[in-house]
């Protein structure tokens, strides 16, 4: 693969701003497992091998199971995920695929049943942030495990 621009080296302030979003998310009420489910699912949709590799490893480190990771792209067809996690995954898919319709009223109303306004905002920011990271990694052709 052709070597592309390294944004961290070329535009360190932009990279620092992205890391600040991660710092904010580290203080959020979203659990580590929930954050990793968001990151993996958005990365699957966006075809970001670098992020899928990184976040499946992180999820395992935080206690996620292989089976749930293997079935994440079919989360609707399994009972392995809680209703709360299914709401998060629905939000992740709809926000990641914003060109379809964005966050639907149905998903938003389900989120209100499980989360307060701050938590909903934090979930949205987690989804937005991983989508930005996916775009950086795919555009610069970051390779998994490097």
């Amino acid at each position: 693969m052709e070597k592309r621009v390294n944004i961290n080296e070329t535009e360190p302030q932009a990279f620092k701003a992205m890391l600040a979003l991660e710092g904010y998310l580290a203080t959020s009420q979203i659990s580590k497992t929930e954050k990793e489910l968001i990151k993996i699912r958005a990365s699957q949709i966006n075809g970001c091998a670098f992020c899928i590799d990184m976040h499946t490893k992180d999820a395992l480190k935080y206690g996620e199971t292989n089976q749930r990771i293997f079935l994440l792209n079919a989360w609707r067809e399994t009972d392995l995920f809680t209703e709360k996690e299914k709401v998060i995954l629905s939000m992740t898919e709809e926000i990641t695929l914003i060109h379809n319709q964005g966050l639907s009223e149905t998903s938003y109303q389900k989120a209100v049943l499980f989360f307060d306004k701050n938590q909903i905002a934090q979930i949205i920011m987690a989804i937005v942030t991983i989508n930005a990271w996916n775009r950086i990694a795919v555009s610069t052709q970051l390779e998994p495990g490097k």
Side-chain angles (χ1 to χ4, degrees), residues 50-98:
F50 180 85
C51 293
I52 293 169
D53 180 62
M54 176 191 298
H55 296 297
T56 54
K57 290 174 184 172
D58 288 346
L60 290 168
K61 184 172 54 179
Y62 298 138
E64 189 54 81
T65 66
N66 286 329
Q67 185 182 28
R68 282 174 32 113
I69 292 172
F70 296 154
L71 292 173
L72 186 54
N73 63 342
W75 60 268
R76 285 182 178 86
E77 285 78 42
T78 179
D79 290 330
L80 292 175
F81 299 94
T82 67
E83 289 304 311
K84 184 177 168 183
E85 290 169 334
K86 288 181 178 186
V87 170
I88 290 171
L89 292 168
S90 178
M91 292 175 69
T92 301
E93 289 183 358
E94 291 177 2
I95 293 170
T96 299
L97 298 168
I98 197 164

Side-chain angles (χ1 to χ4, degrees), residues 1-144:
M1 226 182 260
E2 178 185 326
K3 185 158 173 83
R4 292 197 174 175
V5 65
N6 180 322
I7 293 179
N8 187 28
E9 293 173 2
T10 308
E11 289 292 333
Q13 293 294 41
F15 201 82
K16 186 177 177 181
M18 288 296 300
L19 291 176
L21 282 171
E22 288 297 332
Y24 153 76
L25 291 171
T27 68
S28 73
Q29 298 171 41
I30 310 166
S31 75
K32 289 180 179 181
T33 299
E34 291 166 343
K35 283 185 251 187
E36 294 308 322
L37 291 175
I38 290 167
K39 291 175 180 182
I40 297 166
R41 186 65 193 120
S43 299
Q44 289 173 332
I45 293 167
N46 290 323
C48 184
F50 180 85
C51 293
I52 293 169
D53 180 62
M54 176 191 298
H55 296 297
T56 54
K57 290 174 184 172
D58 288 346
L60 290 168
K61 184 172 54 179
Y62 298 138
E64 189 54 81
T65 66
N66 286 329
Q67 185 182 28
R68 282 174 32 113
I69 292 172
F70 296 154
L71 292 173
L72 186 54
N73 63 342
W75 60 268
R76 285 182 178 86
E77 285 78 42
T78 179
D79 290 330
L80 292 175
F81 299 94
T82 67
E83 289 304 311
K84 184 177 168 183
E85 290 169 334
K86 288 181 178 186
V87 170
I88 290 171
L89 292 168
S90 178
M91 292 175 69
T92 301
E93 289 183 358
E94 291 177 2
I95 293 170
T96 299
L97 298 168
I98 197 164
H99 64 279
N100 289 340
Q101 69 175 359
L103 182 57
S104 70
E105 188 62 26
T106 300
S107 292
Y108 187 83
Q109 290 307 319
K110 285 181 183 176
V112 169
L113 298 175
F114 291 97
F115 307 105
D116 64 29
K117 288 180 182 181
N118 292 88
Q119 292 167 315
I120 291 171
Q122 293 166 3
I123 292 165
I124 291 170
M125 288 308 300
I127 297 164
V128 167
T129 302
I130 189 57
N131 273 278
W133 283 121
N134 289 163
R135 281 146 180 78
I136 291 167
V138 171
S139 299
T140 61
Q141 297 181 343
L142 291 179
E143 294 183 45

